[in-house]
Amino acid sequence: MTEPGPANDPTDDLADRVAALMPRAKADLAELVRIPSVADARQFPPEHCLHAAQWVAAAFAEAGLEDVRLAATPNGSHAVLGHRPAPPGAPTVLLYSHYDVQPPLDDSAWQSPPFELTERDGRWYGRGAADCKGNIVMHLTALRALGDDIPVGLKLVVEGSEEQGTGGLEAYVPDHADELRADALLICDTGNAAVGIPTATTVLRGLANVVVTVSTLAGDLHSGMFGGPAPDALAALIRMLDSLRDTDGTTRVNGLDNDGIWPGIGYDEQQFRADAGVLDGVGLLGSGSVADRLWARPAVTVLGIDCPPVVGSAAAVPATARARVGLRVPPGTDAAAAADALAAHLRAAAPWGARVEVEREGTGSAFRASTDGPAYAALDRAVRDAYGKPVSFLGQGGSIPLCNVLAGTFPDAELILMGVEEPRCLIHAPNESVEPSEIERMAHAEALFLRYYGADHGQSSDGAASSSADYC
């Protein structure tokens, strides 16, 4: 592999071209954020998502892609597709993002209107500014900076229902594989460990959710007349849920290992506390490093409980209680087997002979990327030039089911998860924002990646990114 030159090589004006495009990037992001493209017709009219899809299609057509069109997916959403033919013998890169966004949640918690891009303290605020419209703008800026000097083929897919998890694109991909087939897939729906630290996400945890119902009585009973010997269903449920954690908070599900070690970049404990908003004096759960607990070990969360509310509750012994329990599982753990283990654990933990029903709500497999191919080598070279430091590897607690669908459909392709999202972006929360310098440098890195991957494709991948990345 050719040795990378110094960051922002003065003989190459690509960084200057990206910088000159940043006012346009801001204007594009402002237009996109203004469209409330929440893919839930119960909350926002579907016309908003269609408007966003049409905007994205027009922007990428103007940026040089061909046959840009809207394709209906099985859940009724529209994916934006396009392509640019590869030069003879050159590889093809798929560019992915999504234009739908999370709902704004509590408008009163926003310091500025959620669907109006607002600059404050150097950051750009608005719903979708980072997740994932900021990544769409990153793609556009990289392509505009390169112009006609793109030495690879390109394919584009920008989906329209990722945040709702209704599986439109996952269902579309297997039956339309040729439309999306590529040698490297840039899945731009993640981001860096922190501003200024170029990072590829190589691990995504899977999930296994169940709903557990506990029954002990034919009906609720007056606690004054029957309380004491009458078995309390809510108390039984509380004991069962408590059994899922050790005294230090470590997740313990019978049959699941919980001693995994994360080999990539670490996550400073104080930084995690700040990012997560942990209250002063409240301890973190579990043992091992924060990264171990986030990305290499199972983690249980009680997502919801059905029981009498405090206001309006009666002096009665509950006959039934129900909880929704989520389990995040690391790569190497089968999600279906984890769901079985969770269900078995809950049944075994039921006290007093309480009757237990467990309904499996859904599972999603974990994902681990292979990092020793030519695409990762080109990425490392690109971020060294754009950031002046090597690529680091990160895990993510969330699940992106599409990654497993793509990996299964294109087993020989390299998947790279990257983007402009970093912890301060507060994606999915009020006051979501993006750091403009991340859009600029990640667009520069993407443009360099396309250039280097096309030039270096087919060369030996010895000394690829996995040998130079930050493993701490």
Side-chain angles (χ1 to χ4, degrees), residues 13 30 62 94 108 127 162 175 185 201 229 254 296 304 340 353 377 386 394 434:
D13 66 349
E62 185 273 338
L94 174 74
S108 66
R127 175 55 88 220
E162 191 275 343
D175 293 332
L185 316 178
T201 297
N254 295 334
D340 290 341
L394 181 73
V434 69

Side-chain angles (χ1 to χ4, degrees), residues 11-382:
T11 64
D12 183 2
D13 66 349
L14 187 57
D16 293 336
R17 278 183 272 159
V18 170
L21 286 164
M22 285 304 294
R24 185 172 186 183
K26 184 179 183 181
D28 283 349
L29 190 57
E31 288 187 32
L32 265 178
V33 166
R34 196 173 295 121
I35 305 171
S37 48
V38 177
D40 184 349
R42 299 168 300 180
Q43 301 182 67
F44 288 84
E47 290 78 10
H48 293 315
C49 282
L50 180 60
H51 181 195
Q54 292 169 336
W55 189 99
V56 170
F60 279 97
E62 185 273 338
L65 269 63
E66 302 176 7
D67 190 28
V68 182
R69 67 196 188 281
L70 272 56
T73 71
N75 71 350
S77 66
H78 290 91
V80 181
L81 303 179
H83 75 279
R84 179 187 175 106
T92 295
V93 176
L94 174 74
L95 307 180
Y96 166 88
S97 191
H98 64 85
Y99 61 79
D100 69 303
V101 298
Q102 285 282 331
L105 302 177
D106 182 4
D107 283 4
S108 66
W110 286 78
Q111 297 181 33
S112 52
F115 294 112
E116 179 180 323
L117 193 70
T118 304
E119 185 169 353
R120 190 164 63 249
D121 298 325
R123 294 180 69 93
W124 297 343
Y125 287 79
R127 175 55 88 220
D131 182 22
C132 200
K133 293 175 177 179
N135 287 311
I136 292 174
V137 170
M138 177 190 76
H139 284 320
L140 287 168
T141 303
L143 296 181
R144 288 167 178 159
L146 288 170
D148 291 329
D149 182 23
I150 302 179
V152 297
L154 295 175
K155 292 189 178 180
L156 172 75
V157 59
V158 182
E159 72 171 309
S161 60
E162 191 275 343
E163 297 292 7
Q164 295 301 314
T166 49
L169 189 58
E170 292 99 287
Y172 182 89
V173 168
D175 293 332
H176 300 81
D178 287 343
E179 297 178 10
L180 303 173
R181 192 178 309 279
D183 300 284
L185 316 178
L186 292 190
I187 311 301
C188 293
D189 189 16
T190 62
N192 293 338
V195 172
I197 301 178
T199 311
T201 297
T202 58
V203 162
L204 298 170
R205 287 193 294 193
L207 60 86
N209 289 353
V210 303
V211 175
V212 55
T213 302
V214 180
S215 303
T216 55
L217 300 165
D220 293 353
L221 296 173
H222 190 292
S223 61
M225 296 179 63
F226 297 98
D232 181 331
L234 179 55
L237 176 62
I238 290 170
R239 287 201 175 193
M240 293 161 60
L241 297 177
D242 183 61
S243 74
L244 295 170
R245 292 189 181 276
D246 287 345
T247 55
D248 68 355
T250 297
T251 293
R252 292 295 178 194
V253 176
N254 295 334
L256 295 185
D257 293 332
N258 201 329
D259 55 2
I261 301 297
W262 171 247
I265 187 173
Y267 199 150
D268 176 75
E269 182 170 326
Q270 294 306 312
Q271 184 63 52
F272 175 83
R273 293 182 65 90
D275 293 341
V278 180
L279 300 180
D280 289 345
V282 178
L284 302 185
L285 302 183
S287 59
S289 74
V290 170
D292 294 340
R293 287 172 270 176
L294 278 176
W295 306 317
R297 300 176 182 179
V300 70
T301 303
V302 179
L303 302 173
I305 295 181
D306 287 340
C307 62
V310 171
V311 177
S313 58
V317 179
T320 64
R322 187 170 69 152
R324 182 172 180 239
V325 182
L327 181 67
R328 296 287 180 170
V329 296
T333 300
D334 180 82
D340 290 341
L342 177 59
H345 179 109
L346 289 167
R347 291 190 185 99
W352 318 317
R355 297 181 183 180
V356 177
E357 296 180 8
V358 182
E359 175 189 357
R360 281 176 52 165
E361 188 179 56
T363 59
S365 297
F367 171 79
R368 186 190 300 276
S370 175
T371 62
D372 58 356
Y376 274 88
L379 176 68
D380 185 60
R381 182 182 174 194

